[in-house]
Amino acid sequence: MHERLLNYINGQWRESAATAFQAVVNPATTETLAQTPLSPPGEVDEAAQAALAAFPDWRRTPATARIQYLFKLKARMEENFEELARAITLENGKTLDDARGEMRRAIENVEVACGIPSMMLGDFSEDVARGVDEYMIRQPVGVAAIICPFNFPGMIPFWYLPYALACGNTVIVKPSERCPITLQKAFRLLDEIGFPPGVVNLVNGGAETVNAVLDHPIISAVTFVGSTPVARHVYARAAASGKRVQAQGGAKNPLILLPDADVELTTQIVIDSAFGNAGQRCLAASLAVAVGGAEEIFVPALAEGAASRVVGNGLETGVHMGPVISPQSKTRIQGLIDQGMQEGGEMVLDGRNPTIQGYEEGYFLRPTIISDIPPGGTIARTEIFGPVLGVMRVATVEDAIALVNGGEYGNMACVFTGSGAAARKFRYEANAGNIGINIGVAAPMAFFPFSGWKNSFFGTLHAQGAHAVEFFTQTKVVVERWLQSWERKF
Ligand code: NAD
């Protein structure tokens, strides 16, 4: 029997009463690491009741005192940095370097949220009428829930958690049932820091647990990151029960390659973007759009660079790319590649069914590049979420921008060029929320919003920074008069 993960409710570690469990499997070795309880709705209710009871006192705790917990959290995360990164690699498969990068981003959000006393400031306007003042205060929204995906188990909870807490909310986090161990470890740190009971809660589970969150009358705000169909569902269902909600969805990120781009640097960056984390990033390059003959320059270079990527267990040094998350994912990705070939793509580098010595059972693919893919076809339009790069040719920058703007998703779009004019035109016209200019993974720093558009995002306010503060607070406007003898001339 593998370790059953615990929930953390009202300051206590609790065994779930779940009758169903999901195995957490190391995708490189196929070893079962733990069992995630698929917590029933009653446990969401317990967490919500605890969070509600903790809210009044946490809200009254001055912001300057609330952030002291975050300073401690930052210190504890630094002390446990390697253990957290290792947990990510074990349960998710990405390389240890990628996992370290992920934890760095998580910590960066804690650091930014330590600025809440200034970020949460209100506004004041004196004498809006004679003797009348008006001001705006930010107050926490109450109980907030954070629902997470498998691909960044250490970072994505921290896109929200530090801001929600620092703004005076109490919180319930629901990690991915496939990668819940990292957060279980992070909650050990939150427990050690000694947040008042009920302020931070962890409920493990799957779709039923999520739906219980979406319907729960106590929960006022929901953040979600995951696939587009589930994001759409979360957005609609949470809104139907009167919650504020932001839901980040899937992606299909195009990188535009112009013939005047630096070949060596661009090749390296595109390869890192397409094949880092085995393509399981919401900011992974998925399409290379070669403009005006750039295909002849870049495809051979990309093929050579991608072929030399070392695929293996992410814990081992020298490995560039780990496995995909599950056997179902591997089968799905290989099926999409097959379909893309039937639709007329040309195989440049075939990464299907590799044998990785020592890890023959792991869920591995090697980097795959398919060129000349048709614009309306499977490889051009589907979020593959694996190490597959489709290449298309277009004649002009205008054609490339039209292609970007014709896509269903809008998480990221990038351009590689030596021309400032082409870059500016692209930045100005491309319909995507995160833009890279000679950058392949345009991940915003914690003090900028993580800005998906179109089917990559449902809502108004995004994750991180000032948007998170806005999301986790509600504004109250006060119009105020104190009658004084010298003010009585209306
Ligand atoms: P997923 O949608 O399968 O799961 C995300 C969460 O939703 C999990 O906590 C899961 O328990 C829950 N869930 C799954 N099915 C549900 C259902 N039917 N009803 C209610 N809840 C349900 O996503 P995933 O596979 O874990 O993550 C990968 C996806 O996340 C990709 O599409 C990727 O692009 C996206 N992603 C987006 C961003 C972004 O910023 N836009 C960031 C990271 C990942």
Side-chain angles (χ1 to χ4, degrees), residues 39-45 48 143-148 172-174 203 206-225 227-248 458 471:
S39 302
E43 286 166 7
V44 171
D45 183 52
V143 178
I146 299 166
I147 303 165
C148 309
I172 303 167
V173 192
K174 207 295 286 172
V203 181
E208 193 195 6
T209 321
V210 170
N211 288 336
V213 165
L214 304 180
D215 295 341
H216 203 288
I218 285 176
I219 298 169
S220 316
V222 172
T223 71
F224 171 87
V225 180
S227 58
T228 291
V230 183
R232 207 188 282 281
H233 160 76
V234 166
Y235 189 61
R237 189 151 165 175
S241 67
K243 304 181 195 323
R244 56 174 64 190
V245 46
Q246 53 166 277
Q248 314 231 158
F458 303 92
F471 183 78

Side-chain angles (χ1 to χ4, degrees), residues 148 150-151 174 177-178 224-227 248-250 282 383 450:
C148 309
F150 83 83
N151 65 331
K174 207 295 286 172
E177 61 274 43
R178 290 186 274 178
F224 171 87
V225 180
S227 58
Q248 314 231 158
C282 63
E383 180 181 38
F450 194 102

Side-chain angles (χ1 to χ4, degrees), residues 236-316:
R237 189 151 165 175
S241 67
K243 304 181 195 323
R244 56 174 64 190
V245 46
Q246 53 166 277
Q248 314 231 158
K252 182 80 197 172
N253 302 309
L255 268 53
I256 312 305
L257 309 179
L258 269 60
D260 63 358
D262 181 296
V263 179
E264 202 183 316
L265 197 66
T266 302
T267 302
Q268 192 50 51
I269 293 172
V270 174
I271 288 171
D272 282 345
S273 176
F275 307 119
N277 289 12
Q280 299 173 119
R281 286 185 188 131
C282 63
L283 296 182
S286 184
L287 274 182
V289 182
V291 179
E295 189 171 83
E296 275 65 47
I297 308 170
F298 284 106
V299 169
L302 288 169
E304 193 188 330
S308 69
R309 300 289 278 189
V310 178
V311 179
N313 184 340
L315 280 185
E316 290 170 9

Side-chain angles (χ1 to χ4, degrees), residues 86-398:
R86 205 181 147 82
I88 294 173
T89 298
L90 284 172
E91 65 179 347
N92 172 280
K94 67 181 67 174
T95 65
L96 205 46
D97 268 352
D98 280 334
R100 290 182 182 124
E102 175 176 349
M103 281 321 299
R104 191 46 57 208
R105 288 275 175 168
I107 293 173
E108 187 186 296
N109 276 284
V110 177
E111 291 165 351
V112 171
C114 286
I116 286 293
S118 342
M119 293 170 90
M120 229 183 131
L121 283 176
D123 280 325
F124 195 102
S125 191
E126 201 175 49
D127 280 328
V128 291
R130 186 178 287 268
V132 176
D133 303 330
E134 185 164 338
Y135 51 98
M136 186 273 284
I137 307 165
R138 289 192 179 281
Q139 296 188 336
V141 295
V143 178
I146 299 166
I147 303 165
C148 309
F150 83 83
N151 65 331
F152 283 95
M155 174 184 75
I156 285 177
F158 289 89
W159 277 0
Y160 307 103
L161 181 85
Y163 305 98
L165 291 174
C167 288
N169 303 280
T170 53
V171 174
I172 303 167
V173 192
K174 207 295 286 172
S176 164
E177 61 274 43
R178 290 186 274 178
C179 292
I181 294 174
T182 309
L183 202 63
Q184 185 101 166
K185 287 185 184 290
F187 262 76
R188 300 262 169 217
L189 308 181
L190 289 163
D191 180 46
E192 285 163 22
I193 289 161
F195 279 92
V199 169
V200 274
N201 303 277
L202 169 71
V203 181
N204 287 287
E208 193 195 6
T209 321
V210 170
N211 288 336
V213 165
L214 304 180
D215 295 341
H216 203 288
I218 285 176
I219 298 169
S220 316
V222 172
T223 71
F224 171 87
V225 180
S227 58
T228 291
V230 183
R232 207 188 282 281
H233 160 76
V234 166
Y235 189 61
R237 189 151 165 175
S241 67
K243 304 181 195 323
R244 56 174 64 190
V245 46
Q246 53 166 277
Q248 314 231 158
K252 182 80 197 172
N253 302 309
L255 268 53
I256 312 305
L257 309 179
L258 269 60
D260 63 358
D262 181 296
V263 179
E264 202 183 316
L265 197 66
T266 302
T267 302
Q268 192 50 51
I269 293 172
V270 174
I271 288 171
D272 282 345
S273 176
F275 307 119
N277 289 12
Q280 299 173 119
R281 286 185 188 131
C282 63
L283 296 182
S286 184
L287 274 182
V289 182
V291 179
E295 189 171 83
E296 275 65 47
I297 308 170
F298 284 106
V299 169
L302 288 169
E304 193 188 330
S308 69
R309 300 289 278 189
V310 178
V311 179
N313 184 340
L315 280 185
E316 290 170 9
T317 40
V319 168
H320 300 124
M321 189 177 107
V324 295
I325 190 66
S326 65
Q328 295 79 4
S329 204
K330 178 174 173 173
T331 305
R332 183 184 55 78
I333 295 163
Q334 297 201 139
L336 290 169
I337 298 172
D338 295 344
Q339 205 172 325
M341 298 309 297
Q342 282 159 23
E343 290 169 4
E346 189 182 318
M347 187 58 82
V348 176
L349 187 66
D350 190 350
R352 288 172 289 183
N353 295 312
T355 303
I356 306 298
Q357 254 199 337
Y359 301 101
E360 286 76 7
E361 301 303 313
Y363 317 137
F364 289 99
L365 289 152
R366 285 193 195 278
T368 297
I369 300 178
I370 309 172
S371 71
D372 292 305
I373 56 167
T378 306
I379 302 293
R381 304 199 71 82
T382 316
E383 180 181 38
I384 298 174
F385 223 54
V388 180
L389 181 67
V391 185
M392 297 169 81
R393 321 167 176 250
V394 296
T396 64
V397 176
E398 285 76 9

